[in-house]
Amino acid sequence: MKRNILIIGGGGVARVVAHKCAQNNAVLGDIHIASRTLAKCHAIIDSIHDKGSLQRPGTLQAHALDAMDIEATKFLIRATRSQIVINVGSPFLNMSVLTACIETGTAYLDTAIHEDPEKVCENPPWYGNYEWKRRQACKNARVTAVLGVGFDPGVVNAYARYAMDTYFDSVESIDIIDVNAGSHGRYFATNFDPEINFREFVSTAWSWENNAWKANAMFEHRKDWDMPVAGLSTTYLTGHDEIHSMSKNLGVPNIRFWMGFSEHYINVFTVLKNLGLLSQHSVRTARGQEIVPLEVVKAVLPDPASLAPAYSGKTCIGDLIKGRKDGLPQEVLIYNVCDHKTSFEEVGSQAISYTAGVPAVAAAMLIAEGTWDIGEMVNVEELDPKLFIALMNRMGLVTRVRSAQGDHIVDPQPDVIEASTDGKLLNYG
Amino acid sequence: MKRNILIIGGGGVARVVAHKCAQNNAVLGDIHIASRTLAKCHAIIDSIHDKGSLQRPGTLQAHALDAMDIEATKFLIRATRSQIVINVGSPFLNMSVLTACIETGTAYLDTAIHEDPEKVCENPPWYGNYEWKRRQACKNARVTAVLGVGFDPGVVNAYARYAMDTYFDSVESIDIIDVNAGSHGRYFATNFDPEINFREFVSTAWSWENNAWKANAMFEHRKDWDMPVAGLSTTYLTGHDEIHSMSKNLGVPNIRFWMGFSEHYINVFTVLKNLGLLSQHSVRTARGQEIVPLEVVKAVLPDPASLAPAYSGKTCIGDLIKGRKDGLPQEVLIYNVCDHKTSFEEVGSQAISYTAGVPAVAAAMLIAEGTWDIGEMVNVEELDPKLFIALMNRMGLVTRVRSAQGDHIVDPQPDVIEASTDGKLLNYG
């Protein structure tokens, strides 16, 4: 059993994580929130108290932390007696926080791959550039590190593993489809940190085709999908974290990621990119100021967290998997639909933050309880997905499957989980 | 007779002005070029020597000057014994340079209205906010100040005056039409300083309708015109300097300015404006830098001067004037067509700089010679336009008129001007 959570980050996903930890503090113990900006942590804590989210009275504390500072992070882990760190800060922090966890023997979770501010779209597999170099160090220290356990990456990895185990004898292709059919009502905004958001689209879009990496241009390949609830949805082949581990771990020859974009989004993005305003490299103004254009774009765009109150509509994210079962062709879409307004009412963040934050807390609960506390570094598809999916069904992210047989909720182990107020999560009854 | 020119500015228009002054230094005397960046002045001087533009051997010197510094400007005027200042620097400098001229008894010319960096699109008439407040001071000092003597404002004001005097008994409307049918081959660029360029379009577009100011939104009113050479040209009602003096001086009930824009230009402009990237007001980045977004946009866009070598096509700018003559309706388009490549070959700048710079030098020659040295502040339409138009015909900007009677060159006084190598410009023979 592991107890006490240190959440690193103060944005929309951290807010979801903190609320969900609070809703499950009988299992998770003390909850600590650390960010460079202390006020953000306090705002989250106020929101948890306002909504009465704590499952039972318990510790809920804010801390100022520069998580690039490994020693400071280690000190805070020890001072708070945290046994699980949920890192939902900037992806630039991953390696620092992971190091602090390895050196203190603390379990580590994140929801997005490590990034170097100086580099964009590195060579695949991306995990090989940073995280996987620490696999042996995790094993030596018996540290559990679950990489990329948000929705995508994260749940979509578990979906792939679950579907392959359940519905297929062999799989030919996995198309991960991420569609936001919601509206924030603003001229233009990104749904998370614009700096991170745009970095996904400014360079090569890697896909895994016929068991090899293929370099595509962003917005080169368009595909329209008939998605549940969202309807006909236009998406573009996009580079994304999960392809970089699933291609190694699943033995599937074709894995692609498709993200939904409106024409308006693409137009604004194209203008900014072509003008050089998405550049990471500083320019010099006529007045002699050195400035990174992308940081200015970020400064003028709406704060993603500010969009949540007015956000309406739903997200639909899932895996369309094609292969064979019992000698016959089989096609399955395994997916979740999440509502922006419902998410906001529950935790004060929209569905994109909600879908990223809930899985990390479900994973933390499985580590706390022991099932996923495997003492090494893994990506989500390497873990048994059944309890994870079952737990999320009860935490607000319901999994459905659409196939030739119809469309229905998936509940892999209906009997094993019970609500608990005494710190006992699972009931293997 | 006035002699010796101080050119203030180091951009594309300053380059044209310097070349044209050099081509006429028998009349104009010594030529001095001053800019904050001395290297820009040296580059212009090198270009004049490369092209052998000096009419006869004479002084051609570069100076470093911050023209916001009135005392430094006065010192340079006196040190160079300049009797005419051609101000083609930033419009933010106008009032400082004008003050230096008044206090040293020097003739003053500019090509664009004064602007305050803190204000955009002030109340009409714009000249009333700054320049006209110094009319009495000019009169007292017997200082000639010709405001806005580029192409538009400038030549289009003279065109209006000339056409009214020549082709009309009464005029109902003047539509000034500015179309650039050229191409620079880049994704997006402005033809002059982006900071000044965009300021024209970010706020109210004032027009003069039925003898009153009318406030329009930018891109609210579109009109397609059949223009000589350029063909069918899409334009939008735009606020512009010349309306603010012509409405006062000409007694014409309707005066509008139309600028040509491509859909691509409007799209890029709209994205930048809606995102807040054209703002004059500084924003704070996540790293704590205070920065004016518009200055960053300027920094990433191509330097307008860099476009000239690849620029192809032509500009067409003129006045479409409607009224009555001898009791009958009359419609006249008085215009100039200028070629980007020819301009570049002659002076190293494209047609937009060329059309702005040549008129200022023609005006300087008329001041040097005495005809326009009227010892007070005026806008161009207050001066006799005939010699001005005749002189420009010989300097590279040919005036044409299109009416029901056909399309022909206008040469108001074919006999009065002769080429001169002895400092004698006009031959009233």
Side-chain angles (χ1 to χ4, degrees):
Chain A
M1 302 288 281
K2 283 199 158 63
R3 280 287 180 282
N4 306 333
I5 307 289
L6 174 60
I7 302 163
I8 293 178
V13 180
R15 176 178 293 258
V16 176
V17 167
H19 271 270
K20 285 292 174 184
C21 287
Q23 290 175 12
N24 294 282
N25 72 340
V27 173
L28 295 172
D30 298 345
I31 301 161
H32 297 273
I33 311 172
S35 161
R36 259 195 318 197
T37 313
L38 189 62
K40 289 186 180 180
C41 305
H42 281 304
I44 290 171
I45 288 174
D46 290 348
S47 152
I48 289 169
H49 288 308
D50 286 351
K51 291 186 190 286
S53 291
L54 279 169
Q55 186 181 16
R56 64 181 192 190
T59 298
L60 180 61
Q61 278 179 9
H63 306 269
L65 174 70
D66 174 4
M68 291 299 283
D69 182 339
I70 295 170
E71 292 307 315
T73 306
K74 285 163 67 179
F75 180 86
L76 187 59
I77 289 170
R78 289 179 175 132
T80 56
R81 295 179 302 114
S82 297
Q83 293 183 295
I84 302 174
V85 169
I86 302 179
N87 172 26
V88 283
S90 155
F92 305 142
L93 302 174
N94 287 14
M95 295 313 290
S96 304
V97 176
L98 177 60
T99 301
C101 286
I102 292 171
E103 295 181 4
T104 54
T106 313
Y108 172 87
L109 303 173
D110 65 34
T111 63
I113 204 161
H114 181 78
E115 296 195 37
D116 180 329
E118 299 298 316
K119 298 176 185 167
V120 181
C121 289
E122 300 186 71
N123 286 336
W126 289 342
Y127 286 107
N129 298 317
Y130 302 99
E131 283 87 345
W132 288 348
K133 291 179 175 165
R134 311 304 302 277
R135 282 184 88 116
Q136 194 56 49
C138 283
K139 202 161 208 164
N140 294 346
R142 303 243 353 105
V143 161
T144 298
V146 183
L147 304 178
V149 62
F151 205 98
D152 45 336
V155 176
V156 296
N157 309 42
Y159 280 177
R161 170 72 185 273
Y162 178 77
M164 289 175 74
D165 293 350
T166 312
Y167 306 113
F168 291 91
D169 297 325
S170 67
V171 166
E172 183 58 28
S173 67
I174 302 174
D175 288 292
I176 303 160
I177 305 162
D178 180 335
V179 167
N180 175 15
S183 168
H184 49 59
R186 308 287 286 269
Y187 173 72
F188 183 84
T190 56
N191 291 306
F192 54 100
D193 184 344
E195 211 177 331
I196 304 303
N197 192 237
F198 287 131
R199 287 168 64 95
E200 288 189 354
F201 319 131
V202 290
S203 189
T204 308
W206 293 105
S207 61
W208 182 251
E209 316 259 4
N210 296 317
N211 289 307
W213 290 107
K214 184 174 171 225
N216 310 276
M218 190 62 211
F219 301 122
E220 181 184 347
H221 301 288
R222 168 182 166 156
K223 224 177 170 86
D224 294 351
W225 310 88
D226 175 27
M227 296 295 280
V229 180
L232 192 70
S233 304
T234 298
T235 69
Y236 292 84
L237 190 74
T238 307
H240 224 246
D241 306 2
E242 49 271 54
I243 308 172
H244 296 260
S245 66
M246 289 165 67
S247 57
K248 175 170 175 286
N249 292 325
L250 295 181
V252 171
N254 298 287
I255 308 176
R256 295 168 288 251
F257 185 92
W258 304 87
M259 187 167 280
F261 291 96
S262 67
E263 283 189 30
H264 174 62
Y265 185 101
I266 294 172
N267 179 46
V268 170
F269 175 84
T270 303
V271 166
L272 294 176
K273 176 164 180 270
N274 285 346
L275 293 181
L277 285 164
L278 301 185
S279 171
Q280 314 278 312
H281 302 293
S282 65
V283 296
R284 193 182 173 83
T285 70
R287 292 188 195 201
Q289 278 181 282
E290 294 281 343
I291 186 97
V292 173
L294 181 53
E295 292 179 8
V296 180
V297 171
K298 176 176 170 173
V300 299
L301 289 182
D303 176 0
S306 74
L307 306 174
Y311 229 121
S312 62
K314 297 179 201 295
T315 61
C316 180
I317 318 175
D319 301 10
L320 181 70
I321 305 176
K322 294 183 184 178
R324 300 186 81 80
K325 177 75 174 178
D326 301 330
L328 293 172
Q330 167 82 306
E331 180 177 319
V332 162
L333 177 70
I334 178 166
Y335 70 96
N336 164 266
V337 169
C338 188
D339 185 78
H340 289 293
K341 194 161 160 14
T342 309
S343 302
F344 179 70
E345 284 166 1
E346 183 193 335
V347 300
S349 292
Q350 32 74 339
I352 294 158
S353 300
Y354 193 86
T355 52
V358 171
V361 179
M365 290 168 74
L366 292 174
I367 291 172
E369 177 273 335
T371 320
W372 273 19
D373 192 15
I374 35 72
E376 58 185 315
M377 174 185 285
V378 288
N379 292 87
V380 175
E381 67 275 17
E382 298 177 75
L383 296 164
D384 185 333
K386 292 191 290 297
L387 282 173
F388 183 50
I389 292 171
L391 188 53
M392 284 189 296
N393 277 354
R394 285 153 186 79
M395 289 175 71
L397 291 180
V398 174
T399 297
R400 301 185 66 94
V401 160
R402 184 182 74 182
S403 67
Q405 283 73 49
D407 188 318
H408 58 90
I409 290 179
V410 168
D411 207 355
Q413 290 180 265
D415 303 326
V416 299
I417 300 182
E418 64 177 16
S420 167
T421 53
D422 63 357
K424 193 158 160 294
L425 167 70
L426 303 177
N427 170 21
Y428 294 91
Chain B
M1 303 287 282
K2 282 200 158 63
R3 281 289 178 283
N4 306 333
I5 306 290
L6 174 60
I7 302 162
I8 293 177
V13 180
R15 177 179 292 258
V16 176
V17 167
H19 270 271
K20 284 293 174 184
C21 285
Q23 290 176 13
N24 294 282
N25 72 339
V27 173
L28 295 172
D30 299 344
I31 301 161
H32 296 273
I33 311 172
S35 162
R36 256 193 321 193
T37 312
L38 189 61
K40 289 186 180 179
C41 305
H42 281 304
I44 291 172
I45 288 175
D46 290 346
S47 152
I48 290 170
H49 288 309
D50 285 350
K51 291 186 189 287
S53 290
L54 278 169
Q55 185 182 16
R56 65 181 191 190
T59 298
L60 180 62
Q61 279 179 8
H63 306 268
L65 174 70
D66 174 4
M68 292 298 284
D69 181 340
I70 294 170
E71 290 307 314
T73 306
K74 287 162 66 178
F75 181 85
L76 186 60
I77 289 170
R78 288 179 176 132
T80 57
R81 295 178 303 114
S82 297
Q83 293 184 297
I84 302 173
V85 169
I86 303 179
N87 172 25
V88 283
S90 154
F92 304 143
L93 302 173
N94 288 14
M95 296 313 290
S96 303
V97 176
L98 177 60
T99 301
C101 287
I102 292 170
E103 294 181 6
T104 54
T106 313
Y108 172 88
L109 302 173
D110 66 34
T111 64
I113 205 161
H114 181 78
E115 295 194 38
D116 180 329
E118 299 297 316
K119 298 176 186 168
V120 180
C121 289
E122 300 185 72
N123 286 336
W126 290 342
Y127 287 107
N129 297 317
Y130 302 99
E131 282 87 346
W132 288 348
K133 290 180 176 165
R134 311 304 301 278
R135 283 184 87 114
Q136 193 57 47
C138 285
K139 202 161 209 162
N140 295 347
R142 303 245 348 103
V143 161
T144 298
V146 183
L147 304 177
V149 63
F151 205 98
D152 44 337
V155 176
V156 297
N157 309 43
Y159 280 177
R161 170 72 185 274
Y162 179 77
M164 290 175 74
D165 292 351
T166 312
Y167 307 113
F168 292 90
D169 297 324
S170 67
V171 165
E172 184 57 28
S173 67
I174 302 174
D175 289 291
I176 302 160
I177 305 163
D178 181 335
V179 168
N180 176 15
S183 168
H184 48 59
R186 307 288 287 268
Y187 174 74
F188 184 83
T190 56
N191 292 306
F192 54 100
D193 184 345
E195 209 176 336
I196 304 302
N197 192 236
F198 288 131
R199 287 169 64 95
E200 287 188 354
F201 318 132
V202 290
S203 188
T204 308
W206 291 105
S207 62
W208 183 251
E209 316 259 4
N210 297 316
N211 289 307
W213 290 107
K214 182 173 172 225
N216 310 276
M218 190 63 211
F219 302 121
E220 181 183 348
H221 301 288
R222 168 182 166 155
K223 224 177 171 86
D224 294 350
W225 310 88
D226 175 27
M227 295 296 279
V229 181
L232 192 70
S233 303
T234 298
T235 69
Y236 293 83
L237 190 73
T238 307
H240 223 246
D241 306 3
E242 50 270 54
I243 308 172
H244 297 260
S245 66
M246 289 165 65
S247 57
K248 173 170 175 287
N249 292 325
L250 294 180
V252 171
N254 299 288
I255 307 176
R256 296 168 288 250
F257 185 92
W258 304 87
M259 188 167 279
F261 292 96
S262 67
E263 282 190 29
H264 175 62
Y265 185 102
I266 295 172
N267 179 45
V268 172
F269 174 84
T270 303
V271 166
L272 294 176
K273 176 163 181 272
N274 284 347
L275 293 182
L277 285 165
L278 301 185
S279 171
Q280 315 277 313
H281 302 293
S282 65
V283 296
R284 193 182 173 82
T285 70
R287 292 186 195 204
Q289 277 182 285
E290 294 281 343
I291 187 95
V292 173
L294 182 53
E295 292 180 8
V296 180
V297 171
K298 175 175 170 174
V300 299
L301 289 182
D303 175 0
S306 74
L307 306 174
Y311 228 121
S312 63
K314 297 177 201 296
T315 62
C316 180
I317 318 174
D319 301 11
L320 181 70
I321 305 176
K322 294 183 183 177
R324 300 187 81 80
K325 177 74 172 179
D326 301 330
L328 293 171
Q330 167 83 306
E331 179 177 320
V332 162
L333 176 71
I334 178 167
Y335 71 96
N336 165 265
V337 170
C338 189
D339 184 79
H340 289 292
K341 194 161 157 22
T342 310
S343 302
F344 179 70
E345 284 166 1
E346 184 194 335
V347 300
S349 291
Q350 30 76 335
I352 294 158
S353 299
Y354 192 87
T355 53
V358 171
V361 179
M365 290 169 74
L366 292 174
I367 291 171
E369 177 272 336
T371 320
W372 273 19
D373 191 16
I374 35 74
E376 59 186 314
M377 174 184 284
V378 288
N379 293 86
V380 176
E381 68 276 16
E382 298 178 75
L383 296 164
D384 185 332
K386 292 193 290 297
L387 281 173
F388 183 50
I389 292 171
L391 188 52
M392 284 190 296
N393 278 354
R394 286 154 185 78
M395 289 175 70
L397 291 180
V398 174
T399 297
R400 300 185 66 94
V401 160
R402 184 182 74 183
S403 68
Q405 285 72 50
D407 189 316
H408 58 88
I409 290 177
V410 168
D411 206 356
Q413 290 180 265
D415 303 327
V416 298
I417 299 182
E418 63 177 17
S420 168
T421 53
D422 63 355
K424 194 159 160 292
L425 168 70
L426 303 176
N427 171 22
Y428 295 91

